[in-house]
């Protein structure tokens, strides 16, 4: 959806959604979820994370928090969602997996087969 989401939601709230003309991108996107080792069963919290600044625009923090020193740490099973957008699935999958490789924390786990059935 290319429209401003806040405007769309405001239109829904005021009963004026019919006044919005949706605009859609031709791009595709894929998301790779990083989880704490042991998820979905037992997993540890409080693992300090190293997240390169150049990856932040692709991340949605899910199970993270900060410690008293301001470091990002794990705080749940599903830790980060890495979403890459582009013109084709192959480049999106590759980009998301490249970002996942750059992020460090003890016992990190992510699937490398996401989107592969659409690519091969």
């Amino acid at each position: 959806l290319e429209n401003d989401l806040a405007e769309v939601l405001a239109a829904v709230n005021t009963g004026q959604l019919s006044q919005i003309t949706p605009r859609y991108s031709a791009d595709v996107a894929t998301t790779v979820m990083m989880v704490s080792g042991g998820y979905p069963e037992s997993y540890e919290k409080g693992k300090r994370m190293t997240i390169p600044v150049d990856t932040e625009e692709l991340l949605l923090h899910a199970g993270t928090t900060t410690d008293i020193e301001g470091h990002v740490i794990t705080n749940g099973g599903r830790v980060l969602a890495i979403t890459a957008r582009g013109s084709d699935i192959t480049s999106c999958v590759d980009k998301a997996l490249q970002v996942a490789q750059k992020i460090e924390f003890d016992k990190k786990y992510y699937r490398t087969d996401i989107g592969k059935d659409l690519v091969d």
Side-chain angles (χ1 to χ4, degrees):
L1 183 65
E2 290 288 327
N3 299 65
D4 182 332
L5 185 57
E7 289 178 17
V8 173
L9 294 176
V12 168
N13 189 43
T14 60
Q16 297 183 4
L17 184 58
S18 62
Q19 304 297 320
I20 302 289
T21 302
R23 295 182 322 275
Y24 298 100
S25 169
D27 285 353
V28 296
T30 206
T31 299
V32 171
M33 196 77 199
M34 293 192 80
V35 301
S36 291
Y39 174 85
E41 306 298 325
S42 177
Y43 53 87
E44 296 177 31
K45 298 179 181 180
K47 303 294 183 180
R48 186 177 286 183
M49 303 178 74
T50 302
I51 302 172
V53 174
D54 67 338
T55 65
E56 280 293 336
E57 69 181 43
L58 302 174
L59 302 181
L60 173 65
H61 289 253
T64 65
T65 191
T66 54
D67 62 17
I68 59 172
E69 297 171 345
H71 300 285
V72 178
I73 59 172
T74 62
N75 194 42
R78 294 178 181 170
V79 179
L80 293 170
I82 306 165
T83 301
R85 179 177 163 179
S87 60
D88 62 89
I89 284 284
T90 301
S91 65
C92 291
V93 168
D94 290 346
K95 186 173 185 179
L97 292 175
Q98 287 170 10
V99 169
Q101 290 172 356
K102 293 180 179 180
I103 297 169
E104 294 297 331
F105 61 94
D106 186 38
K107 298 181 183 171
K108 77 174 183 178
Y109 178 78
Y110 57 93
R111 291 179 48 183
T112 59
D113 63 330
I114 300 300
K116 295 296 183 180
D117 58 335
L118 300 172
V119 175
D120 297 331

